[in-house]
Amino acid sequence: MNIKRAKEEIKDTIEAYLYKDEFGSYAIPVIRQRPVLLIGPPGVGKTQIMEQIAMECRIGLVAYTITHHTRQSAVGLPFIEKKSYGGREYSVTEYTMSEIVASIYDKIEATGLREGILFIDEINCVSETLAPTMLQFLQCKSFGNHQIPEGWVIVAAGNPPEYNKSVRDFDVVTLDRIKKILVEPDFDVWKEYAYRQNIHPAILSYLNVKKQNFCQIETTVDGKRFATPRGWEDLSRLIEIYEKLGKKTDREVIVQYIQHPGIAKDFANYLELYYKYENDYQVDQILAGVIKESLCDKVAKAPFDEKLSIVGLLLSRLSGRFRELLTEEAVMERLMGILKAAQRDGTPSDEVREKVTSGVGMPENGTLESGMEVAAKLNEMISETEKEREDLKKKELLSRKEDLVCRKVLRRLETYRISLQEWESGQAAAADAGREAYWNFLREQFGADSDRFEADFDEASQMLEHGFDFMEAAFGDSQEMVIFITELNTSFYCGRFLQEYDCERYYEYNKRLLFDETEQELMAGIR
């Protein structure tokens, strides 16, 4: 199965294993909770999905690459203990707690998460001395004398023997006690992920044409040659930063990530052409509505790979703009929730009130009748938001995207706080200003941000319309238009934006062109 389906299988397994009956006991006894074993080629995303699963399930994650461990670190160190049996004292060998088991308890102590995933990578590549311990671990869920805590699901991963000569086969007794999932690379599934992760558009458009180069591992007389999904993603991040620094990503750089000389050379040539197309066709001007007839004629006569690159450039700019817009939408929703909660529960804590009102005369009844109470509550909401972010980071339950939204929210709240202070200083009698005056000011600040968001949304909508203008002028109802519509459907951010913006041409082409394409495929199959 592909990595997307494997991820869903593991999430379903975790949900089932952690399901409790009416008495609070796990419905599936621990002894029947089979460890999950993922087997698939390197770089396909086995390790990465574990982090995603832990965040989405809101549980802990402890991950180990077992090839880095000796028997002593996995099982524990021996020591002599005195014990009595039948009235006689004996010296007995005991073991200190396994480093791996101890790390689970450390995680529980640090985060408060009593349920989680213990992920052991490269489990079938352990040393000869550690191999029996791994069999005991999978069969009995323990290292030495120490059990894995209840509520922690075991997931292990390994590579097939054709990719690693150190692989050890498990016996039938062990295999009959695990839940085995075979994972295979799937470009279409990876492409969905790539759009969400903002993989460089040159990589996406190249692999759209050369899908066979997405995941390729060969053994030659000169050694291993390979290109993996992980390699493409890491290369994408480097290209992105190199562009910002004004540095060139040439063949010598690419082969450091795509360690297949032929594929690295091919992509290096493509990337050079991609930058040329980006400069020649001025995509930003197209999306701003500047569409030249000469440019449309030029692209209409261009080779197919050049046309595909132009479509890719258009989609990349649109997807990037939509991503920014959806991030801002999440920020606005979070801000609205915080401000509504602050207004609903307008009384700040005593500690925060004291900080804000320091130097300001308190009424005789000890309460804040003035709008200064609003400023105190805003400070408290900022502190609570910061605390929530730090708590989630500590538990490793905060994704990069969620953290970005949280940091933007905090920056916006801080801007509101500073603006409120400046507004207060301009009031003749700030201490006597009523609550409503303070809230009206904050509403105005939020309203201005909301207006900017609406303007950005309208601008993004026009960009999409201009994209359709160019596609119609250059390609009409051609294969390129089908690709454009298909990629709009595939891209997560484009799909999200189109849920909010009613683009008539998108729905028209989506219905007509993709229906015709499906019909042609069916007829070809019949013939």
Side-chain angles (χ1 to χ4, degrees):
M1 66 178 66
N2 59 52
I3 196 68
K4 181 179 179 181
R5 175 65 190 278
K7 177 182 172 181
E8 291 303 316
E9 285 288 329
I10 296 172
K11 286 182 68 175
D12 290 346
T13 300
I14 289 171
E15 185 177 350
Y17 285 177
L18 299 184
Y19 178 80
K20 295 178 180 178
D21 61 22
E22 58 183 312
F23 301 106
S25 300
Y26 292 109
I28 300 178
V30 173
I31 193 65
R32 295 300 174 202
Q33 293 182 7
R34 291 190 172 200
V36 179
L37 177 62
L38 286 172
I39 297 293
V44 78
K46 300 186 296 296
T47 303
Q48 195 168 48
I49 63 169
M50 301 317 304
E51 298 171 1
Q52 298 169 13
I53 291 168
M55 286 184 184
E56 292 169 18
C57 294
R58 316 309 282 178
I59 58 178
L61 173 66
V62 172
Y64 275 92
T65 301
I66 201 64
T67 50
H68 299 169
H69 283 267
T70 64
R71 186 178 185 280
Q72 286 75 21
S73 62
V75 176
L77 294 172
F79 64 92
I80 303 300
E81 181 72 38
K82 297 292 185 179
K83 289 190 176 182
S84 296
Y85 300 109
R88 295 184 60 184
E89 188 178 77
Y90 296 89
S91 296
V92 179
T93 302
E94 293 284 349
Y95 288 86
T96 58
M97 180 173 281
S98 160
E99 177 187 327
I100 296 173
V101 176
S103 66
I104 298 176
Y105 286 106
D106 289 339
K107 176 70 73 171
I108 294 171
E109 185 73 21
T111 65
L113 298 172
R114 306 200 68 82
E115 296 178 331
I117 301 168
L118 173 59
F119 178 64
I120 305 294
D121 201 6
E122 298 185 17
I123 194 167
N124 56 351
C125 296
V126 296
S127 64
E128 186 174 349
T129 57
L130 197 52
T133 299
M134 288 300 99
L135 298 181
Q136 177 201 25
F137 165 66
L138 291 174
Q139 292 177 13
C140 306
K141 303 178 182 64
S142 65
F143 280 108
N145 299 332
H146 304 286
Q147 291 287 133
I148 305 301
E150 261 197 341
W152 282 75
V153 178
I154 297 171
V155 182
N159 299 320
E162 59 264 33
Y163 299 116
N164 194 323
K165 62 182 180 181
S166 302
V167 164
R168 295 175 175 276
D169 290 329
F170 293 127
D171 57 34
V172 175
V173 174
T174 302
L175 291 173
D176 195 35
R177 286 175 168 82
I178 61 174
K179 183 174 181 177
K180 185 177 179 181
I181 298 177
L182 298 177
V183 183
E184 297 176 351
D186 186 319
F187 174 68
D188 291 330
V189 166
W190 183 81
K191 189 165 69 171
E192 292 179 32
Y193 164 81
Y195 274 121
R196 296 188 70 159
Q197 297 298 317
N198 197 31
I199 296 297
H200 196 279
I203 291 176
L204 278 170
S205 56
Y206 171 77
L207 292 176
N208 267 324
V209 179
K210 304 275 182 83
K211 292 183 180 181
Q212 70 275 14
N213 292 341
F214 165 61
C215 185
Q216 194 172 129
I217 302 173
E218 301 173 356
T219 302
T220 70
V221 292
D222 297 321
K224 297 282 187 182
R225 296 183 175 187
F226 55 91
T228 67
R230 177 168 52 213
W232 288 114
E233 181 171 1
D234 291 346
L235 176 62
S236 170
R237 299 289 169 249
L238 186 79
I239 295 174
E240 180 184 349
I241 300 303
Y242 266 29
E243 288 175 348
K244 292 178 180 179
L245 296 174
K247 297 181 181 294
K248 184 178 180 181
T249 309
D250 58 17
R251 179 184 172 185
E252 296 303 318
V253 174
I254 293 168
V255 80
Q256 296 165 21
Y257 291 82
I258 308 302
Q259 297 181 45
H260 189 297
I263 296 176
K265 179 182 178 182
D266 194 40
F267 177 68
N269 294 336
Y270 179 85
L271 186 61
E272 192 171 335
L273 285 173
Y274 182 87
Y275 287 135
K276 179 180 182 299
Y277 301 150
E278 188 175 36
N279 182 62
D280 290 349
Y281 288 96
Q282 300 174 337
V283 172
D284 289 331
Q285 288 193 25
I286 291 173
L287 294 177
V290 181
I291 301 173
K292 300 176 182 177
E293 186 177 345
S294 59
L295 205 62
C296 294
D297 291 339
K298 179 182 177 181
V299 72
K301 298 173 183 176
F304 179 70
D305 61 343
E306 185 171 335
K307 293 177 180 178
L308 200 60
S309 294
I310 303 309
V311 173
L313 282 165
L314 286 170
L315 288 163
S316 170
R317 293 292 197 278
L318 288 171
S319 181
R321 189 69 187 95
F322 298 156
R323 185 182 68 255
E324 293 170 358
L325 197 64
L326 290 169
T327 299
E328 181 63 19
E329 183 180 45
V331 170
M332 295 301 295
E333 288 176 354
R334 184 85 183 272
L335 278 172
M336 181 180 288
I338 289 173
L339 293 175
K340 280 186 175 180
Q343 189 172 15
R344 184 173 60 248
D345 179 25
T347 305
S349 65
D350 292 340
E351 181 183 354
V352 173
R353 291 166 72 228
E354 287 175 10
K355 288 181 180 178
V356 173
T357 59
S358 177
V360 178
M362 291 285 290
E364 291 182 3
N365 60 7
T367 63
L368 280 171
E369 298 294 342
S370 74
M372 289 294 288
E373 189 174 87
V374 177
K377 189 62 182 178
L378 180 60
N379 270 354
E380 185 172 5
M381 298 306 285
I382 292 173
S383 297
E384 287 180 0
T385 304
E386 288 175 336
K387 183 177 181 300
E388 180 185 0
R389 174 175 176 252
E390 291 302 319
D391 184 54
L392 288 173
K393 284 184 69 176
K394 184 179 179 181
K395 293 179 178 179
E396 298 179 354
L397 297 178
L398 192 67
S399 68
R400 287 174 61 89
K401 185 171 70 174
E402 291 168 339
D403 190 40
L404 175 63
V405 170
C406 194
R407 285 186 286 129
K408 284 179 174 288
V409 167
L410 283 167
R411 185 166 62 185
R412 200 73 55 85
L413 287 172
E414 184 64 22
T415 301
Y416 291 173
R417 187 185 67 80
I418 293 171
S419 298
L420 190 62
Q421 286 179 338
E422 292 173 352
W423 176 80
E424 282 178 335
S425 65
Q427 302 302 302
D432 296 327
R435 275 189 182 185
E436 196 59 29
Y438 276 71
W439 279 119
N440 283 338
F441 179 82
L442 288 176
R443 288 190 195 101
E444 288 173 6
Q445 299 296 303
F446 180 80
D449 284 340
S450 182
D451 290 342
R452 279 191 290 272
F453 173 75
E454 292 298 330
D456 289 343
F457 186 90
D458 291 340
E459 180 191 10
S461 304
Q462 286 302 305
M463 287 175 65
L464 180 59
E465 296 294 349
H466 294 322
F468 271 109
D469 291 340
F470 175 77
M471 291 296 296
E472 288 175 343
F475 303 117
D477 290 2
S478 64
Q479 182 181 0
E480 289 76 21
M481 182 64 88
V482 172
I483 293 170
F484 184 71
I485 297 297
T486 303
E487 295 302 302
L488 282 176
N489 291 334
T490 304
S491 171
F492 172 79
Y493 296 106
C494 292
R496 281 286 309 278
F497 180 78
L498 286 163
Q499 290 175 3
E500 304 291 333
Y501 174 60
D502 190 15
C503 179
E504 292 183 6
R505 282 189 287 183
Y506 163 75
Y507 291 110
E508 178 188 342
Y509 282 114
N510 197 61
K511 181 179 179 180
R512 178 157 49 88
L513 292 182
L514 297 187
F515 176 79
D516 290 344
E517 182 188 32
T518 303
E519 185 180 37
Q520 290 170 12
E521 289 176 356
L522 289 171
M523 292 302 295
I526 292 170
R527 286 195 296 269

